[in-house]
Each structure stands twice: as C-alpha cells, then as structure tokens.
Amino acid sequence: MRKISILVMAMVLLFGCKQKSIVHPAFYFWKTDYHNTKPETKYLDHFKSKALYVRIMDVDFDPERQEAVPVSPIKFSDPLPPKVEIIPVVFLVNRIFYDTDSNKTKILANRIANFVDAKVKQAGKPGFAEVQIDCDWTKTTRDQYFNFLKQLKAQPLLKGKMISVTLRLHQVKNVVTSGIPPVEKAMLMCYNMGNLRKYGDQNSILDQHEMNVYLKDFVENYPLKLDVALPLFEWAVVFRDKEYAGISKRITENQLSDKKLFKQRGNSILYDLLLDYPAAGLKQGDVVRWEKVSPQDLLATSTFLSRYLKPAERNLVFYHLDTDLLKHFTHEDLQKVIANF
C-alpha cells in the first residue's frame, strides 16, 4: 500500500505541475537614433540578450502622394554590439490597407524588404533571421494585410527568413473575425490594453482585468507560436475639458510633484494643472493622467501569463531599452518576471 501511495503522489507531482517555458530575455529599441551606450549595452549583457528588436521605421499613408511612405526611419550612429542579433521591426499604420489592392501591397512589400535590408547593413550586421511587422489590423483590413504578409514572405531578400507579427489582446479573443495571420510566430503585446482616450483614472498601459477578459479563455488555444512583450514605459496622458488632448513628452513624474503646478486628486493618478504651462503646451484646468508600470505589475502579469500560455521556448521582450525607463526596475525585478514563466 505504501508503494502504491508513493507512486500516486509521484504521478500527481509529475502531471499536476505545469511544465516551465524556456525564456530568452530581449528588448525593443524604439528610438530614431541608435547609440551603443554603455548602460543600455550592460542590460543586454546582464540578461544575455541574443537579439535586439529594432524599430526600423513607421509606414503611414501620405494623402498628397496617395501612397504609403516611410516615417521617421532609424539612424545608426553606432553599430549594434557584435554578439547581439538584430530583429528589424516595421510599424504599419492600419489605414494604409484601406482601399488598396494586391498590386499596391506587392509594391509596398518590395520597398519594405529593400529598406530593411539596407538598414540592417547600416547597423553593422551581415544579415538577419527574422523581421517583425507591427500592425493593429482590423476586420476591414484583415484580408489586405494578410495578403501583404504573403507577398512580403515571397520577397527574394527575405528568402529563408521568418516573418513574425505583433498580436493585440482583442485579436486573440476575436480570432474568428480577426483571423490568423499567415506567419509562423506572433508577439503577444501585453500593454496598451485600455482605452487611452477615455477620461478617467484607469491605467491604459497595463490592466489585469482586460487581460483576464481577453486572454484567460483564449490564449492557450491560439494556433501560432507566441513570444511575449511587456511594458517598462510611462507617459503623461492629457485631457482638456474631459476630452483626450494627447500624450505630453514634456511632463515628468517629478514635475507632477510640484504643488505650485499640479494638484493630485486624492491618491489617484490624475493631476489638475493649476496654471498655464506654455513650455508643455498645457493650459490651466488641463488634467494629466500619469500612467506607469511597477515591478509588482510586471510580476502579476507574468504570473497570469505563465498560468494560461502553453509552455514553450519563447522570447520575452521588454519595451523598451532606455536608461530613463530602466532605472525604475532593478535587475532583480526583471529577473523575477523572467523566472516566473
């Protein structure tokens, strides 16, 4: 009987414990000029990051030219570190797929392939194994976008290379209407979950409730291999007369503590501007919502994801590699998040 009990306990432990994922930490780089700075490179070294996801450019629709054009392409003032591979990322504004046709998307695919190849060489790299397309496609643009992805894959310069895409929470839950991109892998974007433009004291960057609604019953069965992206960033969302007025890049958390300028609403993340602030383009009465992510938020998110994602070998990518953002997180903070998977 004792042998049987030990055997039963062993089987419970064997099958009751979920297999851990093999996680490769990495970072996004989302600035327009790459400098090989020591603090940022140290982060790559510390976490043994083998790859850096580098935003190459945005692509948006130019109404005057009536075509998709590159916006704010990256400049490489320094080459990437020798041991770090580059994964080029191209952000496509969804509207470029409105009222388009197969010939236009084929031209776009060709231009992107050539542009990416040239930028990778500027980064000091002989080549790349993966290119990521970042687009929040919708039901109305789905077919055009998916056709574009197939045309991109067929480009001679991308022969043998992996095409991956970004994946928003709503595209996981609404898989029937959103469709499955014709690629091998997707990056699950676990940030920008809430309604940024909605007035209130909610944090639109990271919302545990939204993850529960959109992922809990759906993400485990998503048919593509999934990497994961988590946020490190913060921002000041401005409202005027309770209407969204934009994100201010000139407001810092330290400025919000200036009681001559701002008054915090209780313990909320809302701050009332007490007088005009021309340097930041703000007016008296404007409301700033300061959104950020804490180490505890990241840990809770990783706990949730580890529970519902299929165990796999995956990249865990932090957005993004910036010393001003990274100072809010210790190496131990991020290591705990990584270990949680």
Side-chain angles (χ1 to χ4, degrees), residues 142 170-180 218 222-223:
R142 178 189 66 191
H170 69 91
Q171 292 157 347
V172 175
K173 180 181 179 182
N174 304 318
V175 69
V176 174
T177 54
S178 294
I180 309 296
F218 307 97
Y222 196 80

Side-chain angles (χ1 to χ4, degrees), residues 188-205:
L188 182 62
M189 311 296 280
C190 291
Y191 50 85
N192 294 356
M193 300 177 180
N195 187 347
L196 174 72
R197 297 170 178 268
K198 182 180 179 181
Y199 181 76
D201 63 355
Q202 71 280 358
N203 188 334
S204 68
I205 296 176

Side-chain angles (χ1 to χ4, degrees), residues 132-133 137 145 149 163-167 181 183 185-187 224:
Q132 184 175 100
I133 302 300
W137 81 91
Y145 174 55
L149 291 173
I163 307 293
S164 64
V165 299
T166 54
L167 185 69
V183 296
K185 188 170 67 167
M187 179 72 73
L224 294 181

Side-chain angles (χ1 to χ4, degrees), residues 14-290:
L14 180 64
F15 295 103
C17 296
K18 187 175 180 180
Q19 180 184 349
K20 296 285 283 184
S21 294
I22 299 172
V23 174
H24 303 291
F27 292 86
Y28 276 105
F29 184 85
W30 216 260
K31 303 174 190 177
T32 56
D33 193 354
Y34 178 80
H35 292 270
N36 190 351
T37 63
K38 287 185 179 180
E40 293 173 1
T41 302
K42 280 184 178 179
Y43 264 89
L44 298 175
D45 292 340
H46 179 84
F47 291 102
K48 298 180 174 59
S49 299
K50 297 179 180 179
L52 185 63
Y53 288 74
V54 180
R55 173 202 163 276
I56 299 298
M57 62 175 167
D58 296 353
V59 178
D60 200 353
F61 184 77
D62 185 334
E64 291 186 4
R65 295 170 57 178
Q66 286 294 300
E67 63 178 349
V69 297
V71 178
S72 303
I74 192 171
K75 170 187 174 184
F76 290 96
S77 293
D78 297 314
L80 264 64
K83 295 182 180 179
V84 177
E85 298 177 6
I86 185 172
I87 299 179
V89 183
V90 177
F91 175 75
L92 304 182
V93 178
N94 186 46
R95 64 180 177 180
I96 68 175
F97 295 107
Y98 296 160
D99 299 322
T100 190
D101 56 40
S102 183
N103 186 54
K104 289 181 180 178
T105 54
K106 186 176 181 179
I107 292 171
L108 177 63
N110 178 261
R111 288 176 176 174
I112 287 176
N114 281 279
F115 198 93
V116 166
D117 186 70
K119 283 295 179 181
V120 168
K121 288 181 172 63
Q122 289 177 24
K125 297 297 178 182
F128 55 100
E130 175 184 347
V131 59
Q132 184 175 100
I133 302 300
D134 182 7
C135 180
D136 188 7
W137 81 91
T138 60
K139 179 182 177 181
T140 55
T141 60
R142 178 189 66 191
D143 293 343
Q144 297 93 319
Y145 174 55
F146 288 3
N147 184 49
F148 159 79
L149 291 173
K150 293 175 183 177
Q151 292 168 331
L152 189 66
K153 182 70 174 178
Q155 293 300 310
L157 284 173
L158 300 182
K159 184 178 181 180
K161 303 184 189 306
M162 178 183 291
I163 307 293
S164 64
V165 299
T166 54
L167 185 69
R168 271 69 176 179
L169 270 63
H170 69 91
Q171 292 157 347
V172 175
K173 180 181 179 182
N174 304 318
V175 69
V176 174
T177 54
S178 294
I180 309 296
V183 296
E184 302 170 57
K185 188 170 67 167
M187 179 72 73
L188 182 62
M189 311 296 280
C190 291
Y191 50 85
N192 294 356
M193 300 177 180
N195 187 347
L196 174 72
R197 297 170 178 268
K198 182 180 179 181
Y199 181 76
D201 63 355
Q202 71 280 358
N203 188 334
S204 68
I205 296 176
L206 196 57
D207 188 319
Q208 301 293 331
H209 174 72
E210 291 293 297
M211 280 200 302
N212 194 62
V213 170
Y214 285 91
L215 295 182
K216 181 180 177 181
D217 297 324
F218 307 97
V219 72
E220 186 174 8
N221 295 319
Y222 196 80
L224 294 181
K225 180 180 178 181
L226 295 179
D227 288 332
V228 173
L230 295 179
L232 302 178
F233 65 92
E234 57 194 15
W235 57 24
V237 188
V238 181
F239 294 89
R240 183 167 294 162
D241 298 325
K242 295 187 178 182
E243 295 291 330
Y244 173 76
I247 295 172
S248 175
K249 295 182 179 180
R250 297 185 179 182
I251 297 294
T252 65
E253 193 168 14
N254 286 337
Q255 287 172 310
L256 292 172
S257 63
D258 185 345
K259 294 184 179 180
K260 294 180 181 179
L261 270 179
F262 292 97
K263 181 179 180 182
Q264 185 178 9
R265 293 189 183 180
N267 293 320
S268 75
I269 58 175
L270 297 178
Y271 296 80
D272 292 291
L273 182 61
L274 302 177
L275 45 84
D276 288 348
Y277 191 16
L282 303 182
K283 296 182 179 181
Q284 181 182 359
D286 286 351
V287 178
V288 172
R289 183 172 69 212
W290 183 255

